[in-house]
Amino acid sequence: MSGRLLRLVCTAAVAVGTALAPLPAAAVPEPEPRERSVADLVTDLQRLYREAEEATETYNATEEKLKAKRAEVARLDTQLSKARLSLHDSRGAAGRLARQQYQNTTTISPYVRLLLARDPQHALDQGHVIGQLARERAVTVGRLTGTEHRADELARRARTALDDQLTLAARQKRERDAVQEKLTDVEELLASLTAEQLTRLAEFEEKGVEKAQEELTTSGALGEEDRKPTRKGETALRYARRQLGKPYEWGAEGPRTYDCSGLTSEAWAHAGTPIPRTSQEQWARLPRIPLKNLRPGDLVIYFPKATHVAMYMGRGKVIEAPRTGERIKISPIASHPLLGAVRPDRRAQPQTNRTRNRDDQPPATEAR
């Protein structure tokens, strides 16, 4: 191939390659960013709130374990102090016995003393006293040995409990940071929305609750009549009503702020029936009941992981501490996906009209 032909072939190849090369990125128009739908925003926001509440309940559970461990450490420290004081006394008594035994050491046996004694009866009495002292010495030595073992065991248990406490405290710190991270995600999403979007968001969410409430009530799942509360149920409900309007705060148990399970646990504690602190433990440990058997004071549990709880007040309404940024309020029972219901005082019988007085009348159930 001649040089001129070779140059023509190369030139043609370069031209074809240039024609087939893709356009620069700047030449391809980018699609306009699509505004997210209200449904998408509601889904994301509810997910973030749910994750924050899950983290909160995990934190609360660790806080309860930490409280119990602190109490155990304090109890063991008290017992250890008493054991060490008792050990000191036992060692003192053992020392006195050792000195007495040393001072009373003799090579003459008690039997020889009895034979040589001028007054055998006195010798027998003295032997009885000696035997009694010997028994007391044995008891003192045994008490000393037992107290030493007990003090050693208490010291070991106290060290273990303190290590557990420190581990729980470190875990609680990590969980507190996780809650704060989730709440920051919520704040960032809300801050990115316009006033119009926030309004549409609230309206969309409210319509969803109305639809869910209508479907629940028309299905007959709540039963056809309102049942009477027990006396303790009324007391718990009155306590919850007095908290209406107070702010939600994660991890709070009152009296100024509450989270969801902080409100329900404090209400029932006020009624004289302590219940677990977290919604997950309330669901796991309290007797479950069908929704159709609900009566005022019962607890309604929400979401598949039992991460939210409210108190039933009758007529399809609940009192709840909803979420960060909101206040304790009366809501439709279907405000969140239902998991089930539990009854703290299952064995108690509902009150009748004859046993009620003026102060025990059930509260009205106006919605907020």
Side-chain angles (χ1 to χ4, degrees), residues 18-315:
T18 303
L20 296 179
L23 293 174
V28 179
E30 294 184 357
E32 292 291 332
R34 182 177 62 88
E35 182 179 350
R36 301 179 64 192
S37 68
V38 175
D40 289 342
L41 290 173
V42 167
T43 299
D44 284 352
L45 189 59
Q46 290 178 343
R47 174 182 57 81
L48 291 174
Y49 275 127
R50 186 170 63 254
E51 290 175 354
E53 197 151 39
E54 288 176 9
T56 296
E57 290 301 284
T58 300
Y59 171 90
N60 289 339
T62 301
E63 171 66 15
E64 289 303 294
K65 292 177 182 177
L66 188 55
K67 286 180 182 177
K69 192 59 65 176
R70 287 185 184 125
E72 181 183 358
V73 169
R75 177 177 56 81
L76 288 172
D77 284 346
T78 300
Q79 291 180 354
L80 182 58
S81 296
K82 292 179 179 178
R84 284 171 173 166
L85 182 61
S86 176
L87 180 60
H88 180 270
D89 293 342
S90 297
R91 284 173 174 167
R96 288 192 296 274
L97 288 177
R99 288 192 297 273
Q100 291 174 2
Q101 186 174 4
Y102 174 78
Q103 292 169 357
N104 295 334
T105 299
T106 177
T107 57
I108 302 177
S109 71
Y111 302 104
V112 175
R113 289 182 184 179
L114 179 62
L115 292 173
L116 298 178
R118 295 181 180 180
D119 185 352
Q121 184 60 45
H122 176 72
L124 287 172
D125 292 341
Q126 188 179 27
H128 175 74
V129 171
I130 292 173
Q132 181 66 27
L133 289 174
R135 286 190 293 273
E136 290 178 358
R137 289 170 183 166
V139 170
T140 300
V141 172
R143 185 187 304 119
L144 173 62
T145 304
T147 305
E148 285 179 338
H149 289 323
R150 176 168 173 75
D152 290 342
E153 175 63 17
L154 284 172
R156 184 190 65 78
R157 289 168 57 190
R159 286 194 299 270
T160 301
L162 182 59
D163 290 342
D164 292 343
Q165 177 182 326
L166 295 175
T167 300
L168 285 170
R171 183 200 303 176
Q172 186 189 45
K173 182 181 182 303
R174 292 193 301 270
E175 291 168 352
R176 182 178 65 241
D177 294 342
V179 175
Q180 295 289 8
E181 182 179 347
K182 298 297 182 183
L183 293 178
T184 299
D185 293 339
V186 173
E187 293 171 357
E188 289 178 352
L189 176 57
L190 292 175
S192 69
L193 302 178
T194 65
E196 180 183 357
Q197 285 177 313
L198 290 172
T199 301
R200 289 164 55 195
L201 198 69
E203 292 174 350
F204 186 90
E205 196 170 16
E206 185 177 350
K207 288 180 181 178
V209 171
E210 290 175 356
K211 180 181 178 182
Q213 183 77 3
E214 182 179 359
E215 291 176 351
L216 180 65
T217 53
T218 56
S219 70
L222 294 180
E224 298 180 354
E225 62 180 24
D226 277 334
R227 287 171 168 76
K228 302 295 188 295
T230 62
R231 183 172 297 277
K232 287 188 174 182
E234 277 194 5
T235 302
L237 187 55
R238 283 200 302 270
Y239 179 92
R241 284 183 60 86
R242 288 198 297 271
Q243 315 314 312
L244 287 170
K246 292 184 178 181
Y248 175 100
E249 182 182 4
W250 71 270
E253 302 175 70
R256 293 182 177 85
T257 59
Y258 297 84
D259 63 18
C260 66
S261 55
L263 175 64
T264 54
S265 60
E266 285 298 305
W268 272 100
H270 184 76
T273 302
I275 63 174
R277 166 65 175 90
T278 68
S279 59
Q280 292 169 326
E281 284 297 299
Q282 291 169 8
W283 174 245
R285 293 168 55 186
L286 296 179
R288 299 179 185 180
I289 58 170
L291 291 176
K292 64 181 180 180
N293 292 341
L294 275 170
R295 65 191 185 197
D298 291 341
L299 304 183
V300 183
I301 311 296
Y302 297 96
F303 299 110
K305 295 183 180 180
T307 51
H308 188 67
V309 60
M311 181 175 292
Y312 189 65
M313 58 183 303
R315 300 181 186 177

